[in-house]
Amino acid sequence: MTKIKICGLTRREDVAAVNHWLPDYIGLVFCSSRRQVTPVQAALLKAGLDTRIKAVGVFVNEPIFTIVKLCNTGVIDLVQLHGDENAAYLRELKSHLDCPVIKAVRVQNVAQVQQAEQMPCDWLLLDTYQKGRYGGSGKMFDHALIPDLQKQFFLAGGLENSNIARVIEKCKPTGVDLSSGVETGGFKDEEKIRQIIQTVRNLR
């Protein structure tokens, strides 16, 4: 069954919504974004999170010791790297962690994704390329650029309830990552979270 990640939680109301509908993962954004949270805010959100939901920390070019501390203190359960982190960075980070590491790729061409698959990460996250931005475009990329991959991958970028079933059927990702697609007025919308989770769970 396709995994579901709801990214960019910032409020207690967001935690209450996901606790009700139980996606597999939520994302806490530690990089520059309108959804950015501090480690203190993230710890408070995680404390209220249902233990069946895993928290993913989203980082861009973060010092390794900061990520390790957040993992070791239980604030996050997985790491997602959305910046320019290279293979050496990944190897160093993983030498300090036992948790899965996801490397995001802002997809521009097939060869780039194939190259990223060789990185020492556990999963990939394929997202939309937008010049000058590390993610969160809310726009979909050309899924024809996804090659046959051996490594499991999450799919992000412009996903919402109206297109999620078709995209999953076509691309067969391990998981889907949603943020703006489950928001109204810039805030997480519980009804949209319910709809997307029920749509994905009902797929065969």
Side-chain angles (χ1 to χ4, degrees):
M1 184 178 289
T2 308
K3 303 294 186 183
I4 303 167
K5 175 170 171 271
I6 305 295
C7 199
L9 275 64
T10 59
R11 307 173 301 158
R12 292 178 181 176
E13 297 95 318
D14 302 340
V15 173
V18 297
N19 283 350
H20 194 182
W21 299 107
L22 295 177
D24 302 281
Y25 306 96
I26 59 100
L28 298 170
V29 178
F30 294 94
C31 49
S32 179
S33 165
R34 67 179 178 83
R35 304 181 184 95
Q36 183 176 8
V37 293
T38 66
V40 172
Q41 290 170 320
L44 291 171
L45 294 171
K46 177 65 184 299
L49 188 67
D50 190 298
T51 55
R52 289 171 288 182
I53 305 171
K54 300 301 182 184
V56 181
V58 180
F59 304 93
V60 170
N61 304 331
E62 189 75 33
I64 286 175
F65 69 85
T66 303
I67 300 175
V68 171
K69 183 177 180 180
L70 287 164
C71 290
N72 288 345
T73 54
V75 176
I76 58 174
D77 305 300
L78 296 88
V79 174
Q80 180 177 316
L81 303 174
H82 239 284
D84 307 305
E85 302 88 1
N86 59 19
Y89 178 104
L90 280 160
R91 282 191 289 269
E92 175 66 16
L93 176 64
K94 286 181 68 66
S95 73
H96 297 286
L97 298 178
D98 292 324
C99 68
V101 175
I102 305 164
K103 182 69 179 82
V105 183
R106 296 179 294 145
V107 176
Q108 298 180 71
N109 55 65
V110 172
Q112 173 206 21
V113 181
Q114 291 172 325
Q115 186 175 9
E117 188 176 25
Q118 306 307 312
M119 295 277 279
C121 57
D122 298 285
W123 302 327
L124 295 175
L125 183 142
L126 306 183
D127 200 357
T128 303
Y129 174 80
Q130 193 169 22
K131 187 175 181 179
R133 295 183 63 168
Y134 284 105
S137 70
K139 298 177 181 178
M140 190 176 290
F141 67 92
D142 182 359
H143 294 152
L145 297 176
I146 304 174
D148 289 333
L149 294 171
Q150 299 304 309
K151 188 164 283 186
Q152 296 185 352
F153 69 95
F154 277 71
L155 192 59
L159 301 178
E160 55 188 35
N161 197 50
S162 65
N163 60 32
I164 195 77
R166 173 173 50 83
V167 168
I168 289 173
E169 182 179 1
K170 177 183 178 182
C171 302
K172 296 178 172 52
T174 305
V176 288
D177 187 308
L178 298 109
S179 191
S180 59
V182 289
E183 291 181 350
T184 299
F187 293 100
K188 294 294 181 282
D189 182 322
E190 181 170 354
E191 176 60 16
K192 289 184 177 180
I193 290 172
R194 178 195 69 78
Q195 290 175 357
I196 205 88
I197 289 176
Q198 290 188 342
T199 296
V200 175
R201 297 283 190 251
N202 287 332
L203 294 176
R204 293 290 181 264

